């Protein structure tokens, strides 16, 4: 054997060892179909990296695979790879916020159905101020409907006076685009656009301000019971169409979360009732369509925002237990949400949170913590330190865990205790934790053997509806990751859900069937797209 | 003990364990002065994070600590922290390229001293084309001096005809800024400016094209023997003034590297002679000034570019051995340099490189590999894979190792075999591997217990002269890293240099003395800047 041959054997061994913690390298028996489909995906990725991504686009100065999502989106949707991934079965969606799940244009359409929905602005809108002024929505009780109302763009519009949404839309001044201008104005307030993410708000701190404002604008629409029902339905259906079979969104609960049809505010128990009903309806509908296996169901991670104090948190914990008792099949866990860099850290709540296990025991329920932690660029900041507390308090999974890679001992514990990480690639990029997918820490997590579920976080704000976009960004930003790794992440999303063992098994079985069909489809695409294959 | 107290003890233990691999956490006995100085630095950092970094700057839309260097530089130099760090003893500079070490304005001044230096352009320069056209320099033999020469901005300038540099400068058209306009034109070609790094060339691939071009423009100046002598001297002196006591730059050797005073090209042996002489002169000068301990000396890492073929590499290896025999005290190691994403990977050279140890043995010399590897955003690309080869071939240190954090087994090996990483924070950011210091993988390396030496790479192109800027960026981007960690990195730069054991000890001893003086200075600054301290 020559020195070079010997060297190459040694090299192969080292690479194998270095990769041995990866999920895709632990798959011992790859089926012929999997191997073939993986190769096809790699070939198409390589071909499109030069064909599609090296073209000149008038409005995109620096196209590259894994680029800034809001700018690259229009290229992504043209790729074969995107088309293929949209057909992939993706398992469960484990990190998402209910109020950020439905396409803004659909939400707007829903809102326009209800005469009770009113809108106002702090001043009369003009071409000069429109980009800086956001709408405020509210479903009003009938007795509070305004007697008469001037459009928001009238010079004599009374600041902060309510206008029926239909009137506001129809009377939107032609100089501001008329009704379409109204839609654009609302859409702009409910989403993050590229010039904000990559221009005016191009730091984590700044973009979070815009991010937070989208929920303030949309909150009174999504919390309105008549809309909520259709909203949840749309969320489930669009998820199913994207190959997601189970969802476990976080819902931010406040003491009076839901606005009823008549404008009164009620306890969020009502949301649970609606959620439960919609699950049943969608399941029945899927059954009618002969697509039963495609929707396992949905739960909710009870969440409240990290600005409450410990006394309020105590109330939320009790409330969460009460809901769990009434809806044991719906409450999946408990979390604290909001901008970690700016709000209270977990340690602030430690005393209260440490009592939660005993409270559960007393009530005879089990509600795992599923904490957001380490969604930050900080190194040793309180947000980064949240990871210690999340893990010490026994979190079942870690939401984001962006800074987890900085913690060797925590990585070890995550492996030992089988704590999965909910990674939200596009969210992290738009919220400026990473400038593109190429600098995202996901490969570090995967290579260190951490179980990962890819998640969309708030697609209505980011435009990454479903999970296809997130899978796409991950796939094109790495030479290492291929179809097998994507499949492992989809499986892990089911394995690390809060579904009971038998439901998990069922879901995995169904996923496996869909996966085989998907592989056949990829191979068929490969035959067509890569005739030399 | 309450549950909370118990929890907090457990938490402290976990944090301690998680941090236990860090160099600064391994320091068992912190002197009172170190502890005090560290606290002062942390307080000033915190104060300036809100005072200086939260101000509005007309030309800087998003100031924050650790921000894009080329934009933030003007803020950085105003901080107290920068002033303090400029006085810190920094040990050795282990990763730098000789042709990128001297402030461009000084290089230009040196060039203007020699009538032999000529300049040309591919077309007559106008306000329209000047930004897109780069100068070409060449020292001409006397018999090739042009008889007469029109300035570069004359409409009748003959494309690509040589003009004496002084003439070109003096006759630079007033519309293009006159002589200062000439200086700006040259400076622009020799440096990367913010609108290139963060605008027109805002990807790794694009900025490398500009980066590479700066060396093409400057090469014939820095390689000109009369300039080279002053250039090296300036490099040493400016390093010393920044608290660097030893340098180990890479030099790109080509078969005829040096241009002599008369314009003839000779073997780079001449560079070694000059380098050796300048070391002696600077040492003598430092001795005369009573500052002997501040300059231990300098060596060279013999480098050639990754575009040569294996036959050429064989020649370079032989040549390197010959130089090592003649200048055993000067040749520190061997490296292959250039853009890893685009040029040949180490595996391409494996057969030849694997013969190097036997070649050395036969010649009775020892020349460690000190490879660039993993200077890439790639995950599983050939550039990323260079890390396997660098380590398997026994590299003494890793140049950049930006993608090392993706490799758990290689991180382990680096710890076991004591392989340090030469981290170049500002270079990585300007060459767009990271958008700011906040997303740089350095904290991951430090927390995993990897030994790191901070380095400047090519400060003449980036504007990060000395090491103060790089230390600054690292310090302000982390809450974890403080003065103790900076000191450990400075010590590691000496420990992982190629200096022989007794010289290393001597250098460390001298560093320790400077460090004590520096701590006293920091404490004095603290008393003044933080009177409540």
């Amino acid at each position: 054997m020559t020195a070079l041959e010997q060297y190459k054997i040694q090299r192969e061994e080292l690479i194998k060892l270095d990769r041995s913690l990866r999920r895709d390298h632990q798959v011992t028996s790859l089926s012929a179909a999997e191997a073939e489909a993986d190769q096809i995906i790699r070939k198409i990725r390589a071909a499109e990296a030069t064909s599609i991504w090296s073209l000149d686009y008038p409005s995109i100065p620096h196209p590259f695979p894994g680029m800034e999502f809001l700018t690259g989106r229009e290229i992504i949707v043209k790729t074969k790879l995107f088309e293929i991934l949209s057909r992939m079965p993706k398992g469960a969606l484990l990190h998402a916020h209910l109020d950020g799940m439905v396409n803004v244009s659909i939400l707007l359409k829903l809102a326009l159905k209800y005469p009770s929905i009113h809108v106002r602005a702090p001043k009369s809108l003009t071409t000069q101020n429109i980009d800086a002024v956001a709408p405020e929505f509210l479903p009003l009780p009938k007795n509070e409907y305004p007697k008469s109302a001037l459009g928001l763009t009238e010079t004599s519009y009374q600041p902060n006076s309510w206008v029926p949404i239909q009137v506001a839309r129809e009377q939107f001044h032609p100089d501001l685009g008329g009704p379409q201008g109204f839609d654009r104005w609302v859409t702009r307030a409910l989403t993050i656009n590229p010039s904000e993410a990559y221009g005016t708000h191009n730091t984590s701190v700044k973009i979070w301000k815009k991010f937070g404002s989208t929920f303030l604008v949309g909150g009174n629409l999504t919390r309105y019971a008549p809309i909520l029902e259709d909203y949840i339905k749309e969320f489930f259906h669009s998820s199913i169409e994207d190959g997601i079979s189970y969802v476990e969104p976080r819902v931010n609960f406040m003491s009076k979360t839901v606005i009823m049809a008549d404008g009164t505010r009620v306890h969020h128990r009502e949301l649970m009732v609606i959620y439960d009903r919609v699950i049943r309806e969608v399941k029945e509908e899927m059954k009618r369509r002969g697509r039963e296996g495609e929707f396992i169901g949905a739960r909710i991670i009870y969440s409240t925002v990290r600005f409450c104090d410990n006394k309020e948190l105590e109330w939320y914990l009790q409330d969460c237990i009460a809901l769990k008792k009434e809806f044991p099949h719906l409450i999946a866990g408990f979390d604290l949400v909001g901008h970690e860099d700016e709000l209270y850290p977990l340690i602030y709540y430690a005393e209260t949170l440490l009592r939660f296990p005993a409270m559960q025991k007393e009530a005879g329920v089990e509600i795992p913590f599923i904490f957001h932690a380490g969604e930050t660029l900080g190194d040793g900041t309180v947000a980064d330190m949240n990871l210690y507390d999340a893990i010490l308090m026994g979190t079942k999974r870690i939401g984001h865990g962006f800074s987890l890679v900085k913690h060797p001992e925590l990585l070890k514990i995550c492996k030992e205790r089988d704590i999965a990480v909910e990674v939200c690639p596009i969210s992290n990029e738009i919220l400026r934790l990473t400038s593109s997918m190429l600098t995202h820490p996901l490969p570090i997590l995967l290579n260190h053997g951490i179980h990962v579920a890819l998640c969309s976080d708030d697609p209505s704000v980011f435009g990454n509806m479903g999970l296809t976009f997130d899978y796409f960004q991950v796939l094109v930003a790495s030479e290492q990751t291929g179809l097998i790794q994507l499949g492992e992440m989809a499986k892990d999303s089911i394995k690390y859900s809060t579904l009971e063992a038998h439901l998990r098994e069922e879901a995995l079985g169904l996923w496996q069937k869909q996966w085989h069909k998907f592989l056949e489809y990829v191979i068929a695409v490969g035959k067509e797209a890569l005739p030399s294959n």
Side-chain angles (χ1 to χ4, degrees), chain A:
Chain A
M1 202 187 288
T2 68
L4 184 64
E5 283 162 353
Q6 218 168 343
Y7 176 80
K8 284 193 171 164
I9 289 170
Q10 216 186 339
R11 187 178 191 261
E12 279 314 303
E13 276 166 10
L14 176 61
I15 295 173
K16 214 172 140 188
L17 190 59
D18 188 46
R19 298 302 188 196
S20 62
L21 302 172
R22 282 180 64 94
R23 301 285 299 141
D24 53 358
H25 280 239
Q26 287 173 347
V27 178
T28 43
S29 61
L30 218 55
S31 73
E34 278 176 318
E36 190 178 351
D38 184 56
Q39 284 310 308
I40 289 167
I41 293 287
R42 287 175 188 275
K43 279 179 191 164
I44 294 174
R45 175 173 68 190
E48 292 189 335
T50 43
S51 65
I52 293 184
W53 292 102
S54 68
L55 294 179
D56 276 334
Y57 297 88
S59 59
I60 304 171
H62 312 295
F64 61 89
M67 73 177 294
E68 298 85 345
F69 175 69
L70 297 175
T71 318
R73 196 181 190 285
E74 59 177 279
I75 304 179
I76 293 171
V77 295
K78 285 181 204 146
T79 64
K80 193 83 199 162
L81 216 49
F82 180 77
E83 190 190 323
I84 293 172
L85 289 183
S86 69
R87 304 268 294 261
M88 178 185 152
K90 302 184 182 75
L93 173 58
L94 299 187
H95 189 113
H97 298 271
L98 185 63
D99 44 355
M101 300 317 297
V102 169
N103 199 307
V104 164
S105 66
I106 295 174
L107 176 61
L108 186 55
K109 253 183 225 154
L110 288 176
L112 286 164
K113 277 168 61 180
Y114 300 97
S116 58
I117 306 279
H118 288 67
V119 59
R120 67 180 186 180
K123 55 181 103 168
S124 167
L125 299 176
T126 64
T127 47
Q128 276 76 49
N129 71 20
I130 187 165
D131 284 348
V133 176
E136 188 185 343
F137 292 102
L138 193 66
L140 294 182
K142 262 208 176 120
N143 60 354
E144 288 181 26
Y145 285 13
K147 302 270 172 319
S148 65
L150 276 172
L152 298 166
T153 54
E154 304 290 324
T155 47
S156 52
Y157 168 72
Q158 183 76 22
N160 282 325
S161 61
W162 293 111
V163 183
I165 185 168
Q166 279 286 11
V167 174
R169 184 173 189 274
E170 279 153 22
Q171 297 187 2
F172 218 64
H173 198 282
D175 287 356
L176 281 81
Q180 282 74 36
F182 175 84
D183 297 348
R184 277 198 299 274
W185 177 55
V186 174
T187 300
R188 190 186 164 103
L190 290 170
T191 56
I192 293 175
N193 64 46
S195 69
E196 288 163 342
Y198 314 132
T200 54
H201 294 61
N202 189 11
T203 67
S204 190
V205 172
K206 288 188 181 176
I207 196 67
W208 259 91
K209 292 198 197 314
K210 165 73 201 223
F211 181 54
S213 79
T214 65
F215 296 106
L216 290 179
V217 172
N220 287 343
L221 298 179
T222 54
R223 290 156 62 204
Y224 185 51
I227 290 181
L228 187 56
E229 179 128 10
D230 284 341
Y231 185 94
I232 296 169
K233 203 173 284 175
E234 169 62 27
F235 164 37
F236 291 169
H237 276 303
S238 63
S239 298
I240 295 165
E241 292 315 312
D242 197 55
I244 297 164
S245 59
Y246 168 77
V247 296
E248 211 166 87
R250 272 121 173 128
V251 178
N252 288 8
F253 286 122
M254 289 170 271
S255 58
K256 301 253 175 178
T257 304
V258 181
I259 307 170
M260 298 304 286
D262 64 1
T264 57
R265 283 159 190 273
V266 300
H267 185 270
H268 40 256
R269 187 188 167 280
E270 191 59 35
L271 185 143
M272 306 301 291
V273 173
I274 297 171
Y275 198 81
D276 209 10
R277 184 165 64 233
V278 175
I279 293 172
R280 275 197 310 276
E281 285 170 8
V282 171
K283 277 194 170 177
E284 278 160 24
E285 199 179 325
M286 291 306 288
K287 200 171 175 177
R288 274 199 305 278
R289 293 200 222 158
R291 293 170 58 189
E292 207 175 345
E294 293 180 43
F295 186 57
I296 309 294
R299 295 184 162 187
I300 281 171
I301 299 172
Y302 186 112
S303 305
T304 192
V305 186
R306 292 169 192 263
F307 50 54
C308 68
D309 62 22
N310 273 282
K311 215 179 137 185
E312 289 164 326
L313 176 60
E314 176 95 31
W315 183 89
Y316 285 115
L317 292 175
Q318 293 289 7
D319 185 57
C320 177
I321 287 175
L323 285 184
K324 178 71 182 175
K325 282 172 110 167
E326 188 176 356
F327 306 95
H329 57 298
L330 288 188
I331 295 290
F334 184 88
D335 189 13
L336 283 153
V337 302
H339 192 191
E340 285 183 72
D341 283 328
E342 307 227 319
L343 303 176
Y344 289 128
L346 288 177
I347 187 70
Y348 169 80
Y349 298 112
E351 196 168 3
T352 313
L353 293 171
L354 287 171
R355 279 203 301 273
F356 195 43
M359 287 162 69
Q360 293 173 57
K361 209 169 178 184
E362 205 186 304
V365 295
E366 269 185 51
I367 308 167
F369 287 133
I370 307 178
F371 283 131
H372 275 72
E375 186 187 7
T376 182
L377 287 173
D379 181 38
T381 59
V382 285
D384 180 31
M385 306 281 272
N386 277 335
L387 285 166
Y388 293 120
D389 296 295
I391 285 171
L392 277 174
M393 292 182 193
T395 197
K396 181 179 164 57
R397 304 190 299 260
I398 295 172
H400 290 292
F402 192 89
S403 70
L404 181 64
V405 293
K406 289 175 184 159
H407 301 278
E409 185 62 24
L410 301 186
L411 287 170
K412 211 173 124 209
I413 292 175
C414 285
K415 270 183 288 184
E416 285 167 3
R417 299 193 199 158
D418 217 13
I419 301 169
V421 181
E422 304 157 356
V423 172
C424 308
I426 291 172
S427 165
N428 296 156
E429 183 260 297
I430 293 177
L431 296 181
R432 308 280 73 203
L433 296 185
T434 179
S435 58
S436 79
M437 258 320 281
L438 300 186
T439 50
H440 194 284
L442 175 63
I444 309 176
L445 289 175
L446 296 180
N447 293 351
H448 277 80
I450 303 297
H451 289 265
V452 164
L454 292 185
C455 310
S456 58
D457 208 7
D458 298 279
S460 75
V461 185
F462 305 138
N464 57 331
M465 310 311 300
L467 276 171
T468 302
F469 286 109
D470 286 281
Y471 271 84
F472 181 92
Q473 289 291 74
V474 166
L475 180 65
V476 297
S478 165
E479 287 292 302
Q480 195 61 35
T481 290
L483 198 58
I484 310 308
Q485 179 62 45
L486 298 192
E488 289 302 312
M489 288 192 283
K491 271 192 275 180
D492 274 348
S493 70
I494 297 171
K495 284 185 196 160
Y496 292 87
S497 73
T498 63
L499 287 169
E500 286 83 3
H502 72 280
L503 286 173
R504 270 207 312 274
E505 285 313 309
E506 193 188 316
L508 278 170
L510 288 164
W511 181 87
Q512 205 61 255
K513 272 187 209 161
Q514 294 172 308
W515 182 246
H516 287 308
K517 264 213 252 173
F518 173 65
L519 295 177
E520 278 170 26
Y521 155 73
V522 174
I523 291 166
V525 168
K527 288 219 164 72
E528 207 176 295
L530 307 160
S532 66
N533 203 51

